[in-house]
Amino acid sequence: MYKIIHDKDEMVIRFEKDLVDGEILTRFLSHINLQSMLKKSTTTDSAARERARNRLVGLPTGITLLRDPSLNKGSAFTLEEREALGLTGLLPPRVHTIDEQVQRILENLRKQSTDIERYVYLIALQDRNKTLFYRVLLDNIEELMPIVYTPTVGQACLEFGHIFRRPRGIYITARDKGRVAELLGNWPYNNVRVIVVTDGERILGLGDLGADGMGIPVGKLALYSVCAGIHPSLSLPVTLDMGTDNARLLNDPLYIGLQHPRIRGELYDEMIEEFILAVQQVFPGALIQFEDFANRNAFRLLQQYRDQVCCFNDDIQGTAAVTVAGIFSALRLTGGKLKDQRFLFLGAGEAGLGTGELLVSALVEEGLSPEDARRCCWYVDSKGLIVKSRTDLVGHKLLYAHDHPPVADFHAAVEMLGPQAIIGVSGQPKRFTPEILETMARINERPIIFSLSNPTSKSECTAEEAYTWTGGRAIFASGSPFEPVITQGKKLFPSQGNNVYIFPGVGMGVMASGAVRVTDEMFLVAARVVAHEVSEADLQFGRVFPPLPRIREVSLAVAVAVAEVAYKNGLASKPRPDDLVEHIGSLMFEPEYQLYV
């Protein structure tokens, strides 16, 4: 079969040529070549040579390496790496730095004619070189945040089946009942710490997009990595495909999900429970973030599982925290106290009611009773002002049903209640009319106008409308970004009330401390931290949130504060480090190439 001949320091292996597998022989020779290079290395430190060997054990070579987005460096592979890893000739001869690669990416990205084309271009980059993808995003966060997340991600979800390239994450359907843990076990990484899961029923303000909603978990987890430095290998996007009631998708041949009406009731609840239990089995202790579930499920699932597993709902708690942070900042401009404010919400869904609950927590800290605190928060839903005399109210709405005559429309409610702030979370565009904005400006010297519905097409008003109809006096924030506005001879920079100020830092704080639960106190301290990070100069330019280029600093501060809450309340499963700031900073992923040789 074969014969081995030893000749002094050399070894000769003889065998018949037709027994040779070319690919295996190539890998073997590459290994011999690598060992030869390490032996001849000028490094005298034998431990360093051993570390180099260990790094390369199991590392793919050749085309296989170039096709692995987690390891691929493209034209940035060094000459030594190319020689050792079988890449010589497979790449153009010049070695580029990562900065030069970023320059090439940006040049081509900016040539794309639409935002959805830019989105597809960036996702294609993520498919072939993850390190470069995250470096491009981190270095250009203000320019690219609207592309990888809202508002463009909304359009991407609307077209998801038509722009689909490569699968990401795990898809779970009702036909997988009884084997969800097996499906999670198919994921190639076994140390998942953060999971974002959706059932696609309420994607942004766009409604039921079914399995096409996978763009949301994918986008959120990219922001965990960019903003808080959670390594991409530690995260997992999941879509629970429970069907869809969207007629367009049910008749679209390119829809990626199962084309049947939504599953509800007992089977739906059983699938959710099996998923939650499977996570505990396969990825014990992982943080579960519920994302874009419809109102009918969002509140009850959070209530059911928040005291059983490490989880939170970003639409309820994350949106609440970023909104309350914006209010804290706005009060620095108005000079008012939180307990003296009246807040009127347009919309009484997850975001609105979640914000009310967090405001109540903050007001209770200021000395109000929960009942008095709730009387600071008023809501208008599709049937008018929420008041006690209404007989159609259920769930959390009942907590905010106050003694007041019925009011049919939002403008009348503004006139009668005289709020200091109006907060739009309705998903209905143009509901903050010029008449409403003028009324707010008549009532308040500095009216707080938060138009938070996403994407841009659903915004209750634009930044320009808010400033124009209040004589430039509005303190404005929106769910999706708007360009700067020049009003009254002054250039103002509208703030985006983006949950990215909250959830990445919360996730990092939970992960760093090993927190076993996520509490409302964590979101309130996160809100206070974000508001504290807003400078006086930011406020003078109209910003109530820190500039996005500072997002890593902000996320670190949030993570430290969240971890402190976990340690204080006995929720942390990891020992407290001597220097918490330094420890969490050391955990943050930096998108830089590792040397393989």
Side-chain angles (χ1 to χ4, degrees):
M1 186 181 296
Y2 60 86
K3 180 182 288 187
I4 301 177
I5 303 171
H6 296 276
D7 184 7
K8 296 183 179 178
D9 292 334
E10 295 183 344
M11 176 187 292
V12 178
I13 305 175
R14 296 184 183 276
F15 44 78
E16 297 177 18
K17 286 192 289 186
D18 59 359
L19 297 177
V20 176
D21 180 294
E23 185 177 344
I24 292 176
L25 180 61
T26 298
R27 289 206 300 267
F28 173 72
L29 294 176
S30 295
H31 173 75
I32 295 299
N33 185 57
L34 170 62
Q35 296 303 315
S36 175
M37 291 177 65
L38 290 171
K39 184 177 180 180
K40 296 174 183 175
S41 170
T42 56
T43 303
T44 57
D45 184 357
S46 59
R49 288 200 298 273
E50 187 60 30
R51 286 195 297 270
R53 284 193 183 93
N54 292 337
R55 268 201 309 272
L56 291 163
V57 170
L59 194 71
T61 59
I63 288 293
T64 304
L65 176 57
L66 295 178
R67 290 176 178 169
D68 187 329
S70 298
L71 301 173
N72 180 31
K73 299 198 283 188
S75 61
F77 280 107
T78 66
L79 295 179
E80 292 79 9
E81 288 172 330
R82 297 177 188 209
E83 190 66 30
L85 299 170
L87 299 175
T88 303
L90 297 179
L91 292 165
R94 179 176 170 182
V95 176
H96 286 93
T97 66
I98 194 169
D99 291 334
E100 290 167 337
Q101 289 180 313
V102 169
Q103 180 183 345
R104 180 185 294 119
I105 293 297
L106 292 175
E107 179 181 309
N108 284 280
L109 178 70
R110 290 164 181 163
K111 288 179 181 177
Q112 308 302 310
S113 57
T114 66
D115 282 346
I116 194 66
E117 289 174 349
R118 295 180 188 99
Y119 175 89
V120 171
Y121 182 85
L122 284 172
I123 293 303
L125 172 62
Q126 188 180 18
D127 281 339
R128 66 179 184 270
N129 187 331
K130 287 186 178 180
T131 303
L132 183 56
F133 169 77
Y134 288 111
R135 172 52 60 191
V136 169
L137 257 60
L138 185 57
D139 290 352
N140 302 274
I141 189 71
E142 202 155 31
E143 176 184 355
L144 299 182
M145 176 76 79
I147 305 300
V148 296
Y149 206 64
T150 183
T152 308
V153 73
Q155 188 62 36
C157 288
L158 286 171
E159 302 181 31
F160 204 77
H162 295 257
I163 62 174
F164 181 80
R165 299 300 197 268
R166 291 180 62 179
R168 286 184 180 80
I170 296 288
Y171 293 85
I172 298 169
T173 71
R175 67 189 183 191
D176 301 311
K177 192 173 188 295
R179 55 194 294 260
V180 173
E182 178 187 339
L183 268 62
L184 294 180
N186 288 337
W187 190 243
Y189 304 105
N190 58 16
N191 191 32
V192 169
R193 295 293 84 211
V194 180
I195 294 171
V196 177
V197 59
T198 186
D199 71 352
E201 190 171 5
R202 193 205 62 85
I203 298 298
L204 301 175
L206 302 171
D208 185 354
L209 297 184
D212 282 355
M214 179 58 103
I216 298 297
V218 168
K220 287 276 186 177
L221 288 169
L223 298 180
Y224 268 108
S225 296
V226 172
C227 301
I230 293 179
H231 196 281
S233 67
L234 301 177
S235 64
L236 171 62
V238 175
T239 287
L240 303 174
D241 181 5
M242 298 292 103
T244 180
D245 292 332
N246 186 322
R248 177 180 65 84
L249 297 177
L250 290 173
N251 292 287
D252 184 350
L254 297 183
Y255 175 56
I256 65 170
L258 297 183
Q259 291 176 304
H260 61 69
R262 276 200 171 269
I263 292 168
R264 304 197 185 279
E266 186 176 344
L267 177 56
Y268 178 90
D269 290 344
E270 289 173 354
M271 290 302 303
I272 296 292
E273 182 178 38
E274 184 180 349
F275 167 72
I276 296 292
L277 293 174
V279 170
Q280 310 316 303
Q281 177 184 339
V282 182
F283 308 117
L287 169 65
I288 299 172
Q289 175 179 321
F290 293 108
E291 189 71 33
D292 286 351
F293 285 73
N295 288 347
R296 73 182 82 200
N297 293 316
F299 286 107
R300 69 182 187 88
L301 292 178
L302 179 61
Q303 288 303 117
Q304 181 175 352
Y305 291 110
R306 65 183 304 170
D307 294 325
Q308 298 183 41
V309 299
C310 184
C311 70
F312 72 94
N313 184 301
D314 188 50
D315 305 298
I316 298 172
Q317 297 161 287
T319 301
V322 78
T323 305
V324 171
I327 290 168
F328 287 154
S329 296
L331 293 180
R332 291 165 59 187
L333 286 168
T334 67
K337 294 182 178 180
L338 187 66
K339 64 182 180 180
D340 297 327
Q341 311 303 303
R342 181 170 287 180
F343 304 96
L344 179 59
F345 292 81
L346 178 61
E350 299 165 48
L353 291 170
T355 301
E357 286 297 288
L358 199 63
L359 276 171
V360 167
S361 296
L363 287 161
V364 168
E365 282 192 3
E366 291 200 0
L368 295 186
S369 68
E371 294 75 20
D372 288 340
R374 288 195 178 94
R375 278 192 280 271
C376 294
C377 301
W378 294 72
Y379 291 85
V380 171
D381 65 7
S382 60
K383 296 178 182 176
L385 187 66
I386 292 179
V387 294
K388 279 190 175 180
S389 60
R390 282 177 52 176
T391 60
D392 60 330
L393 301 176
V394 295
H396 286 70
K397 289 185 181 182
L398 289 168
L399 297 172
Y400 296 91
H402 306 307
D403 283 319
H404 194 280
V407 180
D409 69 273
F410 191 72
H411 189 193
V414 172
E415 289 280 11
M416 296 180 73
L417 295 172
Q420 284 71 45
I422 55 174
I423 301 170
V425 285
S426 65
Q428 300 174 31
K430 303 300 181 183
R431 288 293 304 276
F432 289 173
T433 63
E435 293 77 17
I436 289 172
L437 296 170
E438 287 179 327
T439 300
M440 285 295 293
R442 174 168 49 82
I443 296 170
N444 302 284
E445 178 62 28
R446 297 298 307 273
I448 300 171
I449 312 292
F450 284 6
S451 174
L452 300 179
S453 291
N454 279 317
T456 311
S457 61
K458 302 293 183 181
S459 185
E460 285 81 9
C461 71
T462 66
E464 185 172 9
E465 289 165 345
Y467 293 134
T468 298
W469 294 105
T470 62
R473 292 186 281 120
I475 302 171
F476 179 80
S478 57
S480 289
F482 286 102
E483 293 297 317
V485 176
I486 297 177
T487 181
Q488 307 292 310
K490 185 176 182 180
K491 190 174 186 179
L492 297 174
F493 295 83
S495 279
Q496 182 185 2
N498 195 324
N499 292 18
V500 77
Y501 289 110
I502 301 294
F503 70 82
V506 169
M508 175 57 90
V510 167
M511 187 182 80
S513 63
V516 296
R517 298 290 182 270
V518 185
T519 65
D520 287 338
E521 184 182 359
M522 292 176 180
F523 285 98
L524 187 54
V525 299
R528 294 193 187 282
V529 166
V530 171
H532 179 74
E533 292 293 324
V534 180
S535 70
E536 290 300 320
D538 293 330
L539 292 173
Q540 295 310 309
F541 282 111
R543 294 190 178 104
V544 292
F545 298 104
L548 272 176
R550 292 189 54 233
I551 191 63
R552 278 264 172 136
E553 299 171 50
V554 175
S555 294
L556 176 58
V558 169
V560 170
V562 167
E564 291 281 15
V565 171
Y567 286 112
K568 179 188 74 173
N569 294 331
L571 297 172
S573 62
K574 295 181 179 179
R576 193 187 194 287
D578 293 335
D579 189 327
L580 194 54
V581 176
E582 181 181 352
H583 173 67
I584 294 179
S586 72
L587 298 177
M588 298 178 86
F589 155 73
E590 289 292 339
E592 298 172 348
Y593 290 138
Q594 300 298 309
L595 282 175
Y596 300 136
V597 176

